[in-house]
Amino acid sequence: MKYDVTITIALKEGMLDPEARAIRHALANLGFETEALRTARLFRLTLDAPSAEDAAAEAEKMCERLLANPVIHHYTVEVAE
Amino acid sequence: MKYDVTITIALKEGMLDPEARAIRHALANLGFETEALRTARLFRLTLDAPSAEDAAAEAEKMCERLLANPVIHHYTVEVAE
């Protein structure tokens, strides 16, 4: 059965986010005040799996093997039925 | 009042997503079959605004001025109360 999976990968709390800091700085230069800004990456994929649990497990393996760096990232997996 | 805003920026449908294609290829090399894969960027920020509507409007202006390229990207803004 086909499942739509959304994977969100973000830096762990406390990790320096230089990209976010640069963006906050650029936004401030344009006159936009922000209190805090964090960036994350989103992957939307469709995969074939026997069940939603299997699809989630497959997506978690993808994160561990390729998409996320377990030292600095945490990730969430959402499976849409 | 402080609002938590989530901005999601993705390529428009039909736009070539070379990053997604490279990731799909790498996942396939690791034995993970995916039907389709799209990438997107997520910005989570906190800003001060008189109302949720104003916070959303401010975030949209940030997208138009800096975060998104209106030619190739579409964006969504979600404001958490």
Side-chain angles (χ1 to χ4, degrees):
Chain A
M1 200 170 143
K2 290 199 194 333
Y3 292 92
D4 289 330
V5 179
T6 301
I7 296 171
T8 307
I9 297 178
L11 285 167
K12 288 181 177 175
E13 277 306 315
M15 278 288 153
L16 208 62
D17 192 342
E19 183 190 3
R21 203 160 46 162
I23 289 169
R24 263 194 83 197
H25 192 70
L27 285 171
N29 286 342
L30 291 170
F32 298 109
E33 281 315 318
T34 55
E35 307 264 333
L37 190 141
R38 307 278 304 169
T39 61
R41 299 200 50 212
L42 210 70
F43 296 95
R44 294 183 178 121
L45 54 105
T46 308
L47 56 83
D48 211 3
S51 71
E53 290 71 28
D54 292 313
E58 183 90 347
E60 299 214 357
K61 271 189 245 154
M62 289 179 190
C63 291
E64 280 147 25
R65 296 283 309 275
L66 181 76
L67 300 176
N69 174 342
V71 174
I72 60 170
H73 291 133
H74 70 83
Y75 55 85
T76 57
V77 171
E78 288 156 56
V79 179
E81 300 276 331
Chain B
M1 203 170 141
K2 291 199 193 332
Y3 291 93
D4 290 329
V5 179
T6 302
I7 295 170
T8 308
I9 297 178
L11 285 166
K12 288 181 177 172
E13 277 306 316
M15 278 289 153
L16 208 61
D17 192 342
E19 184 190 1
R21 202 160 48 162
I23 290 170
R24 263 192 82 197
H25 191 68
L27 285 171
N29 286 342
L30 291 170
F32 298 110
E33 282 315 316
T34 55
E35 306 264 334
L37 189 142
R38 307 279 301 171
T39 61
R41 295 195 58 208
L42 210 69
F43 296 95
R44 292 183 179 122
L45 55 103
T46 308
L47 56 84
D48 211 4
S51 70
E53 289 70 28
D54 291 313
E58 183 90 347
E60 297 210 359
K61 270 189 244 153
M62 291 179 190
C63 292
E64 281 148 23
R65 295 284 308 276
L66 181 76
L67 301 176
N69 173 343
V71 174
I72 60 171
H73 292 133
H74 69 83
Y75 56 84
T76 57
V77 172
E78 289 157 54
V79 180
E81 301 274 335

